[in-house]
Amino acid sequence: MKTTNSKMSPNIRFLGPFLALVIITLSFPAQGQTLQEELRRLVAEHPRLKAEDNNVKAAKEGVRRAFANFLPEAGVTGNVGPERVDKPERRKIGLEPTELTRQKITFSLTQDLFTG
């Protein structure tokens, strides 16, 4: 009598994979989580909730940027370097060109009074 896989009873055909699944399941320790822990994890890791959280953060950033347009702006610029002054009046009376060190600092404060 010859038996083939196609003539095996359905119960025997699924016994091997079932036993493998049971062994794999029992080899890992059980990790019981409370409902609150599982809900916290789901809220923290759910992709749609993450996307909506990022949308809220972007909206808050947009409000902050829009409000920044109404704040005053302060600025400081400066430069330092050699400067040679050679004026025709000085040459006329026989003086050499003047070598100076240029030092300039500019402070500015700007406030929009009207945006229209």
Side-chain angles (χ1 to χ4, degrees), residues 77-97:
T77 59
N79 54 37
V80 175
E83 181 177 12
R84 181 182 169 131
V85 179
D86 187 12
K87 295 183 178 180
E89 299 86 31
R90 291 183 58 90
R91 277 186 270 146
K92 236 185 225 184
I93 58 174
L95 294 175
E96 293 291 318

Side-chain angles (χ1 to χ4, degrees), residues 32-49:
Q33 293 181 338
T34 65
L35 180 60
Q36 281 185 328
E37 291 171 346
E38 186 64 21
L39 287 175
R40 273 193 210 109
R41 186 189 66 78
L42 286 172
V43 167
E45 296 177 5
H46 197 278
R48 289 176 78 184
L49 292 176

Side-chain angles (χ1 to χ4, degrees), residues 20-31:
L21 182 64
V22 169
I23 291 170
I24 290 171
T25 304
L26 293 177
S27 66
F28 292 108
Q31 296 180 348

